[in-house]
Each structure stands twice: as structure tokens, then as C-alpha cells.
Amino acid sequence: EPEVTQTPSHQVTQMGQEVILRCVPISNHLYFYWYRQILGQKVEFLVSFYNNEISEKSEIFDDQFSVERPDGSNFTLKIRSTKLEDSAMYFCASTLEDRGRSPLHFGNGTRLTVT
Amino acid sequence: AQKITQTQPGMFVQEKEAVTLDCTYDTSDPSYGLFWYKQPSSGEMIFLIYQGSYDQQNATEGRYSLNFQKARKSANLVISASQLGDSAMYFCAMRGRDGGFKTIFGAGTRLFVKA
């Protein structure tokens, strides 16, 4: 069964550094998402992406965050200047459609630790 | 705006017994979808079951069933014949036009299955 892949599985960075989290969504999916989960807590929506542009973003997704789909397969999340509170698990997800019974297919996540 | 509420932070169940995990939601949109996801201790998010707001019958997938009570705005997950491997975090989620078609998640319920 096709799956969403995320790299790296764990990223440690120093405060103020830039990080790029990478995702390869399922190939025929059209909608892409980033979610964040601070340890053991709620899964929070960050951003949705369709047709090469952001379709929606949350209040968390401020100017420090950006997303890109540079080559038609990869989908990246960049955090420009990391803060301690950015430490979390970041999940990439994709879906065939943004309505109906098509569920989100999640990657295994990237655990980001900011020191 | 859409909202998902899971009021049980933790639940215990004896192996081989059934358990119900509660989920209530709020939306002004008549068309929406409800999902349940499982997150084992390894961290990945696994889709379990879907219920559409216009579905006449309650959804079932193997040992999982969804007790959908539209008038009460509840979508409880029932796991029959619990197994030790069912110990995990369970998230109720919702998608609809009211929320811009992004999927939003409840706070989750941690299920512990006792041998």
C-alpha cells in the first residue's frame, strides 16, 4: 500500500537555526498538510496546500513557517528561525480529496527538538 | 466554527471486553465527515473508521464501529473484543466546509487494555 514518507525521523537543532522537514506524499494525492503535535497533546493543524499554493493556514503558521512543493513529489516545511516552543512532532499528511470519505494518510512524523 | 470534544483523557478496559470512546462535535455545516485515528506508542497516526453526516447506517470496520447519533452530535468509537495491541491514543476528528475542509482533531483518549 502506498504511504507518506517523512525525513528525517528525528531532528535536533539549536534555537535560531533554520530547519527543513521533508515529506513525500502519496503520488496520486492532491491535498497536502502539515500538522504538529506537542508531546502527548492534541494534533494541531498548521497548513494545507493544494494546486501549488497554500489553501489555509492556522495562527501557528506565522512568518517563520513556509511550505514548498519544489519538484512535484517532495513537500517541505521550513522553519526559518526555530524557537524552543517549536519542539514537537511534525506530521505530513496527504489525501485524494478534501471532502468526502477520503481520510488523511499520515507519515510517521519528524520529531523536532530545539535546544 | 467546528469543534471536537473528547472528555475521557484515559480509559481502562479488560482484554476481550468492549469499550466505548466518547466524541462529541459541533458544526453548523449539514455536510461533514467524522474520523477516528489510532496513535500507538510508536507515534504513527493510523486511520480507523469514517462516518459521513448523511450516512444512514453506523460505520463498521472489523472490530471497530461508530455509534453515530446525529441529533446529539456524538460519534463514539466502539472497540469490541479488546486486544492488548489496542492500547494507544485515539483521536476523533472532523472535516467539513465549516472548518475550511481541513481536518480538526479532539484532544484524544488514551486507552489501556489490561490482560
Side-chain angles (χ1 to χ4, degrees):
Chain A
E1 186 177 314
E3 57 183 31
V4 176
T5 56
Q6 286 186 247
T7 54
S9 56
H10 193 183
Q11 174 93 44
V12 181
T13 190
Q14 288 192 326
M15 196 168 51
Q17 296 296 305
E18 174 184 286
V19 293
I20 297 176
L21 310 184
R22 292 185 163 79
C23 169
V24 179
I26 294 173
S27 60
N28 65 333
H29 283 185
L30 301 175
Y31 297 85
F32 314 113
Y33 306 83
W34 284 100
Y35 283 81
R36 180 180 83 174
Q37 185 182 30
I38 294 171
L39 187 62
Q41 295 183 27
K42 196 171 181 174
V43 179
E44 300 174 293
F45 169 78
L46 291 178
V47 66
S48 58
F49 192 86
Y50 170 71
N51 202 24
N52 281 321
E53 59 183 30
I54 291 174
S55 46
E56 189 171 357
K57 58 185 180 180
S58 70
E59 292 176 354
I60 303 167
F61 195 88
D62 61 21
D63 292 345
Q64 294 300 314
F65 291 87
S66 63
V67 289
E68 201 175 41
R69 189 159 159 81
D71 56 13
S73 61
N74 290 286
F75 179 50
T76 62
L77 174 69
K78 182 193 290 186
I79 309 175
R80 210 178 331 274
S81 177
T82 50
K83 304 187 282 279
L84 293 176
E85 54 264 39
D86 293 329
S87 294
M89 180 74 96
Y90 288 81
F91 288 104
C92 173
S94 68
T95 185
L96 188 57
E97 53 183 4
D98 67 346
R99 59 203 71 192
R101 57 187 59 241
S102 181
L104 292 176
H105 293 257
F106 284 89
N108 286 341
T110 294
R111 182 167 297 284
L112 177 64
T113 303
V114 182
T115 61
Chain B
Q2 293 182 334
K3 188 177 178 183
I4 291 273
T5 303
Q6 294 179 256
T7 56
Q8 306 156 312
M11 288 280 287
F12 286 88
V13 65
Q14 196 67 40
E15 195 179 9
K16 300 179 185 175
E17 293 189 350
V19 63
T20 298
L21 307 183
D22 294 342
C23 173
T24 58
Y25 60 91
D26 194 19
T27 180
S28 57
D29 189 355
S31 176
Y32 51 88
L34 296 156
F35 304 81
W36 278 91
Y37 290 85
K38 173 183 179 181
Q39 187 178 40
S41 57
S42 48
E44 70 269 31
M45 294 284 287
I46 302 166
F47 165 68
L48 295 177
I49 195 166
Y50 167 84
Q51 180 83 44
S53 59
Y54 293 121
D55 292 346
Q56 294 297 310
Q57 299 206 345
N58 287 342
T60 60
E61 288 286 349
R63 293 186 299 110
Y64 304 110
S65 60
L66 206 151
N67 183 1
F68 181 47
Q69 298 188 40
K70 194 169 181 177
R72 292 186 174 185
K73 293 188 175 178
S74 75
N76 299 339
L77 177 70
V78 181
I79 305 174
S80 63
S82 297
Q83 301 171 356
L84 295 178
D86 294 334
S87 293
M89 193 75 159
Y90 289 81
F91 291 99
C92 181
M94 176 175 195
R95 182 172 70 204
R97 182 173 46 203
D98 198 12
F101 291 111
K102 64 180 179 291
T103 301
I104 62 167
F105 289 79
T109 295
R110 186 167 295 282
L111 178 66
F112 300 91
V113 181
K114 299 182 290 184

